[in-house]
Amino acid sequence: MTIAALTYRHVDDATLLPLDHESTPNWWFGCPYSKSSPPPTPGRMFHAGTICIVPVGLPARGKTYMSKKLCRYLRWLGVKTEVYNIGTYRRKLFGANLPHSFFDPGDREALEKRRIASQAAFEDMLSFFDKGGQVGIYDSTLTIMEEKRRELLDRLTPLNVQVIFVETICEIPHVIEANVREVKLNMPDYEGWDEDKALDDFMRRINIHAPFYTPINDSSLSFVQVMNMGIESNIGEHIVCNNVKGYLQTRMVLFLMNLHISPRTIYLLKNGESVPGACFKDDAPLNADGVALARKLPSFIAALRARTNRHPASPKIFTSTRSRSYQTAQFFPPECVTSKAPLVQMNPGAIEGMSDDAIRAKYPEEYARHVKDPFNHRYPRSESYHDLALRMEHVILELEGEKEDVLVIAHETVLQCLYAYLMDLGEKDIPRLQIPSNTLIELVPQAYGTRETRYLIE
């Protein structure tokens, strides 16, 4: 429960441990704790220790896409995470325009060059762990070989690094080809290539690797197998989880269960204006301008989606449970709209309605702390951006799992957090983000980023 600016956490049946909201570091929140054990080392959240995630699978099975998405999610939780993609190291060391024969695991000279790139990535990952990093994602195609997986285990286990393999499996030809066209042909390796020639080259790269692929079948290992994660694929989608234990580790599995690469669009819109003078507790309705925006919105969205060949005319709509949020969606078909409590704006607490000068005068010490760390700091009886981000986690998971287009109508603070997550921005960027009124932000997730377009609603 929250009393003024203090949070109390249950420690045992007889004790509630007060946490000072300023002196408690980020990693404390959400961590299990007992009086008999010291708090975890900063950067080692949830007592999970150091973890190496190793994607496994043939090319075009979604390994790199999954790695980037998982990294973004873990960073959102506050876990220090980095991806070490061997392809990036290979391009830096040996260039991008290489023949498909370079990727033949049976070619000793080519294999030695790939080993050099792999070793450079591995050493960088160990350095990251030494500096307090918690999760390293080691993305190498050579992990299709059992001997390479065993080599990683033998090197990391003595260092107390838990290794979890994530194997992505798909044998549906049209899904594999769709994955190649959507994802792989946009790689730096194929910049300037004719699409059909690039497709043929990459398919040959897949076929070269296939004879060396040994699926994971050792039940003593910690692994997750993701079956048929592909574009427009619902055929046999399922996940196998083996010997994966721990709070953070199981949250990773939950995230993977929601992950897909089907094309979709996410729209963000700041809710319409409410009547003036209302405070946070009042839950004020829209004013005349807000209602005018709400009336324009369905036809504007329908025309935009027709222009961009998106169907149906109305996407799914998520609003908060506050009046000005769900009233902005009042002219859409009711069956399209869902109100979600985690999308309620950040609670301003004691500083509601105060100018910067007034806050500085009344709370000089709090103001100084806020300027130093605007993402994590809480004013009295308020929430921080960090609190808001954690509150929104299950909405993030729902958005990741949603295969239909979604429009989110919410307060600026909520959209700042969502925009930062979808655009993979750092926590320091969130408080400074500007979300303009009467502007629809269209975000299209892609393999190597997110495409953004903004539309003014006039």
Side-chain angles (χ1 to χ4, degrees):
M1 61 179 175
T2 301
I3 301 177
L6 287 180
T7 302
Y8 287 78
R9 279 191 186 280
H10 181 267
V11 174
D12 56 34
D13 290 340
T15 307
L16 285 176
L17 179 68
L19 302 178
D20 178 77
H21 77 287
E22 295 302 337
S23 62
T24 305
N26 258 356
W27 45 264
W28 224 107
F29 295 97
C31 296
Y33 178 76
S34 70
K35 289 190 288 186
S36 61
S37 61
T41 303
R44 301 291 198 273
M45 291 186 69
F46 311 113
H47 288 302
T50 308
I51 302 169
C52 178
I53 304 294
V54 182
V56 176
L58 290 169
R61 267 60 176 184
K63 298 188 303 298
T64 298
Y65 178 86
M66 178 272 297
S67 298
K68 289 178 176 292
K69 289 276 193 174
L70 182 58
C71 178
R72 185 176 73 179
Y73 171 68
L74 292 174
R75 286 176 175 172
W76 177 261
L77 295 180
V79 180
K80 294 181 180 178
T81 309
E82 290 290 347
V83 176
Y84 296 90
N85 179 271
I86 312 308
T88 301
Y89 284 82
R90 181 255 304 165
R91 282 184 281 271
K92 288 181 180 178
L93 291 170
F94 306 110
N97 296 315
L98 297 168
H100 67 267
S101 57
F102 178 88
F103 301 93
D104 184 354
D107 186 321
R108 290 189 176 182
E109 183 179 347
L111 190 62
E112 174 59 21
K113 290 181 178 179
R114 295 175 75 182
R115 187 199 66 78
I116 291 171
S118 299
Q119 181 61 24
F122 187 83
E123 290 176 357
D124 282 353
M125 184 174 68
L126 292 185
S127 177
F128 168 69
F129 290 151
D130 288 341
K131 294 174 181 176
Q134 184 168 5
V135 177
I137 303 177
Y138 186 78
D139 183 12
S140 169
T141 305
L142 291 178
T143 56
I144 60 171
M145 304 163 70
E146 187 173 10
E147 63 190 80
K148 296 297 182 183
R149 299 197 292 266
R150 179 57 57 186
E151 180 182 320
L152 279 171
L153 275 172
D154 291 344
R155 297 179 70 181
L156 290 171
T157 302
L159 302 176
N160 292 320
V161 177
Q162 181 186 3
V163 179
I164 301 176
F165 298 101
V166 180
E167 185 174 22
T168 52
I169 301 169
C170 181
E171 299 302 333
I172 306 170
H174 77 273
V175 172
I176 295 170
E177 181 175 334
N179 288 350
V180 173
R181 290 188 181 276
E182 179 71 18
V183 179
K184 295 302 181 181
L185 300 192
N186 294 315
M187 293 169 58
D189 290 4
Y190 294 111
E191 187 175 349
W193 280 54
D194 173 78
E195 182 173 319
D196 290 335
K197 289 183 178 179
L199 175 64
D200 178 67
D201 184 84
F202 197 87
M203 296 303 290
R204 292 170 72 185
R205 187 185 297 189
I206 294 173
N207 294 333
I208 283 175
H209 283 94
F212 297 89
Y213 176 33
T214 305
I216 298 173
N217 55 18
D218 184 350
S219 60
S220 68
L221 301 178
S222 295
F223 66 82
V224 180
Q225 291 175 320
V226 184
M227 315 291 186
N228 298 322
M229 180 182 71
I231 296 169
E232 299 177 352
S233 169
N234 290 306
I235 306 169
E237 283 188 346
H238 64 283
I239 284 183
V240 174
C241 182
N242 182 78
N243 198 25
V244 177
K245 302 173 184 178
Y247 179 68
L248 179 59
Q249 293 87 333
T250 52
R251 284 176 86 166
M252 295 183 200
V253 175
L254 178 61
F255 176 79
L256 292 173
M257 290 174 67
N258 285 278
L259 193 60
H260 66 86
I261 54 178
S262 300
R264 48 34 186 293
T265 300
I266 297 172
Y267 305 98
L268 304 180
L269 178 70
K270 187 158 72 172
N271 49 228
E273 294 180 20
S274 58
V275 296
C279 69
F280 176 76
K281 294 180 180 180
D282 287 342
D283 192 17
L286 293 177
N287 64 14
D289 288 339
V291 173
L293 172 66
R295 288 187 183 279
K296 295 176 186 175
L297 201 51
S299 59
F300 182 89
I301 294 285
L304 172 63
R305 289 174 63 76
R307 229 170 33 243
T308 54
N309 200 31
R310 306 297 296 174
H311 302 284
S314 294
K316 284 189 174 181
I317 300 170
F318 293 171
T319 75
S320 80
T321 52
R322 306 286 284 185
S323 295
R324 60 180 170 181
S325 179
Y326 64 75
Q327 285 181 2
T328 305
Q330 64 184 295
F331 297 106
F332 285 97
E335 62 271 16
C336 295
V337 183
T338 305
S339 296
K340 298 181 179 294
L343 292 177
V344 169
Q345 72 192 77
M346 187 168 68
N347 188 339
I351 66 163
E352 182 176 14
M354 297 175 66
S355 66
D356 269 10
D357 289 339
I359 297 169
R360 189 187 298 112
K362 187 171 183 178
Y363 302 106
E365 293 182 0
E366 296 283 356
Y367 185 85
R369 292 189 184 106
H370 183 79
V371 169
K372 185 177 180 180
D373 189 2
F375 180 77
N376 294 296
H377 173 262
R378 295 187 197 92
Y379 282 106
R381 301 185 298 282
S382 75
E383 287 183 295
S384 68
Y385 278 99
H386 182 244
D387 297 328
L388 177 59
L390 293 179
R391 164 153 63 86
M392 291 168 55
E393 183 192 357
H394 93 259
V395 177
I396 292 291
L397 289 174
E398 190 170 355
L399 281 175
E400 288 289 5
E402 184 59 67
K403 293 187 177 182
E404 297 183 33
D405 297 344
V406 177
L407 165 63
V408 181
I409 301 175
H411 186 267
E412 182 174 34
T413 53
V414 172
L415 298 185
Q416 285 172 315
C417 289
L418 278 178
Y419 180 89
Y421 175 80
L422 293 166
M423 299 299 290
D424 200 14
L425 302 178
E427 63 181 43
K428 293 181 180 178
D429 299 311
I430 293 177
R432 297 194 297 265
L433 287 173
Q434 299 295 317
I435 307 294
S437 300
N438 301 324
T439 301
L440 184 72
I441 301 175
E442 179 187 78
L443 301 176
V444 181
Q446 297 177 316
Y448 295 97
T450 302
R451 188 179 76 239
E452 176 184 357
T453 309
R454 298 194 177 198
Y455 303 94
L456 181 64
I457 304 174
E458 297 179 309

